[in-house]
Amino acid sequence: MCLPAIAFFLIFAYLPMPGLYLAFIKYNYTDGIFRSPFVHWDNFRFLVITGDLWRLTANTVLYNLAFILLGNVLQIFVAILLNEVRKKWFKKLTQTLMFLPYFISFVLIGLIAYNILSYDYGLLNVILKSVGADPVKTYSNPHIWPFIIVLTYLWQSTGYGSIVYFAAIMGLDSEIVEAAEIDGANAFQRIRYIVLPWLKPTFIILLLFSLGGVLRGNFGLIYNLVGANNTALYATTDIIETYVFRSLMNNFNFSLGSAVSLYQSVFGFLVVITANWLVKKFSPDNSLF
């Protein structure tokens, strides 16, 4: 049963590894990968000198930390609320409605956002103009986009993410909860002293898995919301994935794109190792290895 998973990682994770050599050469089509000039660390040095590396790293990490922390807290909150609902038909209806945004494509989300935020015809500015207020230039204001991106992500992913925590709550022994009720514990006390400690191992495991991709931005969401070429928004919306996309599609700079991707992978590996070491130090039973 493990063979399909092993084959998947061999084909898509290990066999492409020789391509990392692109990060250390100045690739050109004529000479190919292994005959192009070897430039050592020049691609990485260029990223550091231009300042792009720090901006990309900061944006990607901050977005992912917001996604991970706010997302998990909101998912736990929703799972606990669903568990407290007593009417089964209302619980099923609520789960279905919250689960639906996960199936909406990023392209459609970007279209909805544009129809709301567009300067000339967006719903927001139509309303503002109707009440005599000045329209908002959303697509040239970089400071409001972190809030829009994070809120959009939470709206789309909370219902789906809460399923894991809700399933964990379902595994809680009902006799423990009933005993607490008999002893006079109210709903808030049951949540604080029984449900939340029960969810702690699940939260730590999901957190460690998420930290592995802390430098892998949500390209689909950000690209469809703001695009990859809106220079006015680079300061707060440009992440590693959009930079690599521009390097490959606009500049055809495969070497620079590979250098950023290699940096991304090494950084994520170090974050996972560090986070697991900290968890193992303070809570050995919840570490990954």
Side-chain angles (χ1 to χ4, degrees), residues 10-86:
L10 283 175
I11 295 172
F12 294 102
Y14 289 94
L15 289 181
M17 276 189 174
L20 295 175
Y21 183 69
L22 276 168
F24 303 95
I25 64 174
K26 187 176 182 180
Y27 177 77
N28 62 74
Y29 294 96
T30 304
D31 297 328
I33 295 178
F34 297 104
R35 292 184 178 179
S36 296
F38 187 76
V39 294
H40 302 280
W41 300 96
D42 285 357
N43 292 319
F44 298 94
R45 190 179 297 113
F46 175 78
L47 288 170
V48 174
I49 292 173
T50 58
D52 290 337
L53 191 63
W54 310 123
R55 172 174 55 84
L56 297 171
T57 301
N59 287 344
T60 307
V61 169
L62 289 175
Y63 275 122
N64 278 319
L65 288 178
F67 293 161
I68 293 170
L69 298 178
L70 294 178
N72 278 281
V73 170
L74 196 56
Q75 290 161 17
I76 291 173
F77 179 71
V78 169
I80 292 174
L81 289 183
L82 288 174
N83 184 58
E84 294 298 318
V85 174
R86 299 307 175 193

Side-chain angles (χ1 to χ4, degrees), residues 68 202-213 268 271-280 286-289:
I68 293 170
T202 304
F203 171 76
I204 292 176
I205 293 297
L206 292 178
L207 179 64
L208 289 175
F209 282 142
S210 300
L211 287 176
V271 168
V272 171
I273 296 298
T274 304
N276 186 76
W277 175 78
L278 291 173
V279 171
K280 192 172 184 178
N286 297 316
S287 63
L288 285 176
F289 47 83

Side-chain angles (χ1 to χ4, degrees), residues 80-91 170 177 181 187 190:
I80 292 174
L81 289 183
L82 288 174
N83 184 58
E84 294 298 318
V85 174
R86 299 307 175 193
K87 293 187 179 295
K88 291 185 178 180
W89 67 268
F90 183 76
K91 181 184 295 186
M170 291 295 98
V177 180
E181 290 178 351
R190 294 197 306 271

Side-chain angles (χ1 to χ4, degrees), residues 127-138:
I127 295 174
L128 291 176
K129 291 176 183 178
S130 66
V131 297
D134 295 329
V136 180
K137 296 181 179 179
T138 308

